Amino acid sequence: MPIRHFDPSFTWERTPILQYKEDVGTHFKDITRQLLYEGSENIPCQLRYFEILSGGYSTLEMHEHIHVVMIMRGSGTMLLDEKIITIAAFDCIEIPSRSWHQLRATSPEPLGFLCVVSCVRDTPILPTQNDIAHLKTVVQVSSFLRV
Amino acid sequence: MPIRHFDPSFTWERTPILQYKEDVGTHFKDITRQLLYEGSENIPCQLRYFEILSGGYSTLEMHEHIHVVMIMRGSGTMLLDEKIITIAAFDCIEIPSRSWHQLRATSPEPLGFLCVVSCVRDTPILPTQNDIAHLKTVVQVSSFLRV
């Protein structure tokens, strides 16, 4: 790079605003992605910035690879395994392997977060109807899910 | 972890405030370190948060390994190779291999930044008198350096 200056609107120099996912679906809403670091032999990880507009949500999914997330702006709620947690600026979260997770932006401000992830990673798995039925047996989770 | 909630004083749950470096020296000033992610097989990188008090500075050093830095609070100046750059909240900087670098906190607020780094890395090299003499031939750098 070596430096990408920040713009007050949560964009960065030479950093396009990308679709959240390549595919199109109804399992996410109002979310964008910026790739801040593409990884290298020495740091085989990407650094991405995601932003979810108020009322939006990420895909409910799980995968083998790990995410390390730091919230950068706004606040929201998150499903992690079978728990709902409150998230706000500069909270740091590890999403372990094979953990169902979904983020929702609940404040008026967008929910922005950094995510560190391995450059080499498996494709996320979407929940089956059985998985969703199982998650919905947890009362708190039932009212949270967007699928 | 899986979540470390943030405290407004820029500390995190279950995260001790550590010395910047294990050794003691006069080549840095007023700087602390917090280890937010220790790395895993899937993400073989650490996520650290450093904070430099106003007027403080990090060690002038270089190494083979790469740093990816995101400024989180405050502002300052930074030597990167033979250039002095201004840094402020949410700027994202790659410090390439074998690049002399040093950060200084110049605003009244502390300069806080995240740093992603490989878990396996070489020991930083400090400048020789010859290295410093060479760097000082660049006028802008001469007045910046703290060694």
Side-chain angles (χ1 to χ4, degrees):
Chain A
M1 7 182 197
I3 180 161
R4 297 179 198 238
H5 283 291
F6 174 75
D7 180 81
S9 62
F10 277 85
T11 59
W12 284 264
E13 288 179 329
R14 304 183 311 286
T15 308
I17 297 176
L18 304 171
Q19 290 184 330
Y20 167 52
K21 290 184 185 282
E22 297 302 320
D23 61 340
V24 177
T26 57
H27 47 82
F28 58 87
K29 182 171 183 284
D30 292 339
I31 176 164
T32 57
R33 173 171 57 99
Q34 294 177 71
L35 183 55
L36 293 170
Y37 188 68
E38 297 192 17
S40 62
E41 195 175 334
N42 186 251
I43 297 184
C45 294
Q46 293 183 342
L47 180 65
R48 297 101 49 91
Y49 174 78
F50 293 93
E51 198 164 270
I52 310 178
L53 294 183
S54 184
Y57 48 86
S58 65
T59 303
L60 171 62
E61 62 184 34
M62 70 141 82
H63 34 67
E64 290 291 336
H65 62 271
I66 292 171
H67 285 170
V68 177
V69 165
M70 177 161 287
I71 309 300
M72 297 297 280
R73 68 182 305 204
S75 59
T77 49
M78 178 177 179
L79 170 74
L80 187 57
D81 283 325
E82 298 186 359
K83 291 187 180 145
I84 306 297
I85 54 179
T86 301
I87 49 179
F90 307 146
D91 287 346
C92 186
I93 307 125
E94 181 191 27
I95 301 173
S97 279
R98 302 191 65 76
S99 297
W100 290 114
H101 58 281
Q102 182 172 48
L103 286 81
R104 285 179 55 195
T106 56
S107 60
E109 188 185 13
L111 177 67
F113 58 95
L114 295 176
C115 178
V116 181
V117 68
S118 171
C119 294
V120 179
R121 56 187 182 266
D122 60 313
T123 304
I125 297 167
L126 298 182
T128 63
Q129 289 304 318
N130 276 351
D131 293 326
I132 292 170
H134 174 75
L135 283 167
K136 284 193 170 177
T137 61
V138 182
V139 173
Q140 204 188 11
V141 173
S142 180
S143 60
F144 174 89
L145 290 183
R146 298 289 181 277
V147 287
Chain B
M1 9 182 197
I3 180 161
R4 297 179 198 240
H5 283 291
F6 174 75
D7 180 81
S9 61
F10 277 85
T11 59
W12 284 264
E13 287 179 329
R14 303 182 312 284
T15 308
I17 298 176
L18 304 171
Q19 291 182 331
Y20 168 51
K21 289 182 185 282
E22 298 300 320
D23 62 339
V24 177
T26 57
H27 47 81
F28 58 86
K29 183 172 183 284
D30 292 339
I31 176 164
T32 57
R33 173 171 56 99
Q34 293 177 71
L35 184 53
L36 292 170
Y37 188 68
E38 297 191 17
S40 61
E41 195 175 334
N42 186 251
I43 297 185
C45 294
Q46 293 182 343
L47 180 66
R48 298 100 49 91
Y49 174 78
F50 293 94
E51 197 163 271
I52 310 178
L53 295 183
S54 185
Y57 47 87
S58 65
T59 304
L60 172 63
E61 63 184 35
M62 70 143 80
H63 34 68
E64 290 290 337
H65 62 271
I66 292 171
H67 286 170
V68 176
V69 165
M70 176 159 289
I71 309 299
M72 297 296 281
R73 67 182 303 204
S75 59
T77 49
M78 178 177 180
L79 170 74
L80 187 57
D81 282 323
E82 299 185 0
K83 291 189 179 144
I84 307 296
I85 55 179
T86 300
I87 49 179
F90 307 146
D91 286 348
C92 186
I93 308 126
E94 180 191 28
I95 301 174
S97 279
R98 300 191 66 75
S99 296
W100 291 114
H101 58 281
Q102 183 172 47
L103 285 82
R104 285 179 56 195
T106 55
S107 59
E109 187 184 12
L111 178 66
F113 58 95
L114 294 176
C115 178
V116 181
V117 68
S118 171
C119 295
V120 179
R121 55 187 183 266
D122 60 314
T123 305
I125 296 168
L126 298 182
T128 63
Q129 289 304 317
N130 275 352
D131 292 327
I132 292 169
H134 174 75
L135 283 167
K136 285 193 169 177
T137 61
V138 183
V139 173
Q140 203 189 10
V141 174
S142 180
S143 60
F144 173 89
L145 290 183
R146 298 289 181 277
V147 287

